[in-house]
Amino acid sequence: MSSEIPIRFLDGGLGTTLESPPHNAKFPAETRLWSSHFLITSPDTLTRVHRAFVDAGADVLLTATYQSSLEGFTATERSSGSGNPNEREDATYNPQEAAALMRSAVSLARQAFSSAGGARNENARGDVALSLGAYGATMQPSTEYSGDYEPESMRTAEGLYDWHAERLRVFKDDQSTWNSIDYVSFETLPVLQEIYAVKRVMATHNRDNKNNDDGKDKKWWISCVFPNDDLTMPDGTDAKKAVSAMLSLEVEGKADRPWGIGINCTDIKKLDKLIRQYEAATEQVLSPGSPKESWPWLVIYPDGAQGSVYNTETGEWEMNPDLKAQGPQVPWHEELAEIVTNAAERGLWKGILVGGCCKTMPEDIRKLRSQLTSVKSDAVSLETR
């Protein structure tokens, strides 16, 4: 039996939780910010949803910044303050206001942990991960599931580097905000060039900021999306090539390697095969027999759609009729717990951070944590709550 693999829990789908009762949010097509719009209209609602995930067992919260960008906020008309994202005034937000709103997401996530009080072990500190979606997540309509990027400059690693570096500076330029961030998460990346771009962004930061914070590199992860039936990213990149790009040391040396590599917003039915492909590719990059300490963390948060697909044109979730005809499926939390247990028992990863993406609610995270708590395996070690 392999040695214990630490397991930590991420939260679930923030935007789709907001769309569900009791919040029942509607995000019209012209609302480029999606859940980030609540930074304007109802930050208290965001804190309550964050807190619900904490109470359900999340150790790490993603900020409400997945689709946020300076362009998105400066193109957004001011809210009337009624809490209804459909009611707006004429003036838009300026860049300084946009930056302040984006930064506010970090403190809202942090507040969710502090407000939990006695619900958490006093020695266990909740962590905040800065959610930075792919460039395509900020387009209108979003294109992180297709990789169809416009303008042409955004199809290059150089153009994507400039864009991601500017967005990251919004948070880095305020030291208090930056110090409150435990992880930086580049999520749902659909194209190979974007992997290279965000690696360079973080390598540059970690190289240039050795004397900031406590002198340590900021932990960060890259998570890709695999919507295609052949287990490839939207641009056709397979898992082996994606992992090689994530873990190569070609740009800035060791600072160029992320703390974690992962898969998100992907059908759970594909997850086990993808993880095994990640493992084979990681072993090849690091060399066979490399100690577990040299491996990254595995970060996995599949969607909970169970066959339904989000239509970016209509803004609706549409069920695959073939899957619907197959009848009831294995509950999401049970299927994911088995995948995590199997990965832990193979004993390769330094640790596993697991949660959910679209259509996963606090109750799903609670069930997932409970399921893994009940697992009788010497390989699984859960953080004490």
Side-chain angles (χ1 to χ4, degrees):
M1 185 68 70
S2 60
S3 59
E4 287 187 344
I5 303 292
I7 309 293
R8 302 194 75 206
F9 292 88
L10 193 60
D11 57 8
L14 177 61
T16 49
T17 299
L18 288 166
E19 289 177 325
S20 302
H23 311 292
N24 298 312
K26 298 294 182 184
F27 300 110
E30 65 271 18
T31 303
R32 295 179 59 175
L33 302 173
W34 203 36
S35 56
S36 297
H37 201 96
F38 275 72
L39 295 170
I40 299 171
T41 59
S42 187
D44 288 346
T45 298
L46 288 175
T47 302
R48 286 195 297 272
V49 174
H50 284 319
R51 170 65 190 272
F53 279 114
V54 173
D55 291 343
D59 303 306
V60 181
L61 290 175
L62 286 157
T63 57
T65 49
Y66 173 76
Q67 284 185 304
S68 68
S69 65
L70 290 175
E71 304 97 310
F73 275 100
T74 55
T76 298
E77 297 173 346
R78 291 181 184 276
S79 169
S80 65
S82 67
N84 183 347
N86 294 308
E87 294 182 18
R88 303 175 183 141
E89 298 172 1
D90 291 333
T92 58
Y93 293 89
N94 63 45
Q96 293 73 31
E97 292 171 322
L101 286 165
M102 291 167 68
R103 292 171 187 148
S104 71
V106 177
S107 61
L108 293 178
R110 182 65 66 198
Q111 288 170 25
F113 283 116
S114 60
S115 68
R120 295 184 60 84
N121 183 307
E122 63 180 8
N123 296 317
R125 176 178 177 269
D127 289 333
V128 172
L130 176 63
S131 172
L132 299 176
Y135 167 73
T138 68
M139 293 180 67
Q140 190 177 16
S142 61
T143 61
E144 72 268 43
Y145 303 110
S146 67
D148 295 332
Y149 283 7
E150 295 290 348
E152 187 174 350
S153 62
M154 302 309 291
R155 300 176 202 153
T156 67
E158 189 67 30
L160 289 166
Y161 166 79
D162 291 340
W163 185 86
H164 278 284
E166 179 186 45
R167 182 170 61 170
L168 190 69
R169 276 194 295 270
V170 169
F171 302 94
K172 286 175 54 181
D173 285 351
D174 184 89
Q175 197 63 46
S176 176
T177 298
W178 189 243
N179 289 344
S180 294
I181 295 167
D182 300 291
Y183 302 94
V184 177
S185 168
F186 296 98
E187 306 180 275
T188 330
L189 301 193
V191 296
L192 184 65
Q193 293 303 315
E194 200 157 15
I195 295 176
Y196 290 124
V198 300
K199 281 185 62 182
R200 182 180 164 201
V201 168
M202 288 306 297
T204 301
H205 161 73
N206 286 331
R207 182 195 63 201
D208 294 344
N209 292 273
K210 287 291 186 182
N211 296 322
N212 289 347
D213 307 324
D214 56 4
K216 297 180 180 179
D217 292 348
K218 184 73 74 176
K219 292 179 180 179
W220 57 290
W221 76 73
I222 298 174
S223 183
C224 296
V225 61
F226 294 85
N228 297 332
D229 291 339
D230 62 353
L231 302 183
T232 58
M233 293 163 56
D235 69 345
T237 299
D238 61 23
K240 179 180 179 180
K241 186 176 290 187
V243 169
S244 178
M246 290 186 232
L247 296 181
S248 66
L249 299 179
E250 298 173 357
V251 180
E252 302 286 351
K254 189 175 180 180
D256 193 34
R257 183 166 282 169
W259 168 89
I261 62 175
I263 302 157
N264 79 292
C265 217
T266 295
D267 188 341
I268 195 170
K269 302 297 182 185
K270 302 175 181 177
L271 194 59
D272 184 68
K273 288 183 179 179
L274 283 167
I275 291 172
R276 292 173 188 272
Q277 291 180 10
Y278 265 47
E279 289 171 349
T282 299
E283 192 164 34
Q284 188 172 20
V285 172
L286 299 182
S287 75
S290 295
K292 184 171 65 179
E293 290 71 24
S294 68
W295 277 59
W297 276 62
L298 174 66
V299 186
I300 46 174
Y301 42 126
D303 66 43
Q306 295 206 306
S308 59
V309 178
Y310 185 71
N311 186 321
T312 58
E313 297 289 341
T314 65
E316 301 290 338
W317 288 89
E318 300 171 355
M319 176 58 72
N320 182 327
D322 294 334
L323 290 176
K324 188 175 182 180
Q326 293 175 12
Q329 302 181 51
V330 176
W332 179 87
H333 66 281
E334 292 182 12
E335 189 166 7
L336 185 52
E338 182 176 1
I339 292 169
V340 170
T341 301
N342 290 339
E345 289 182 337
R346 290 193 292 273
L348 296 172
W349 301 99
K350 193 171 185 178
I352 300 175
L353 178 61
V354 58
C357 202
C358 297
K359 304 293 280 186
T360 54
M361 311 297 172
E363 181 63 11
D364 295 308
I365 302 303
R366 186 194 68 76
K367 288 179 178 179
L368 175 63
R369 186 169 190 122
S370 177
Q371 187 78 16
L372 280 165
T373 300
S374 67
V375 167
K376 305 300 182 185
S377 173
D378 293 336
V380 176
S381 174
L382 272 59
E383 178 175 284
T384 303
R385 296 298 301 269

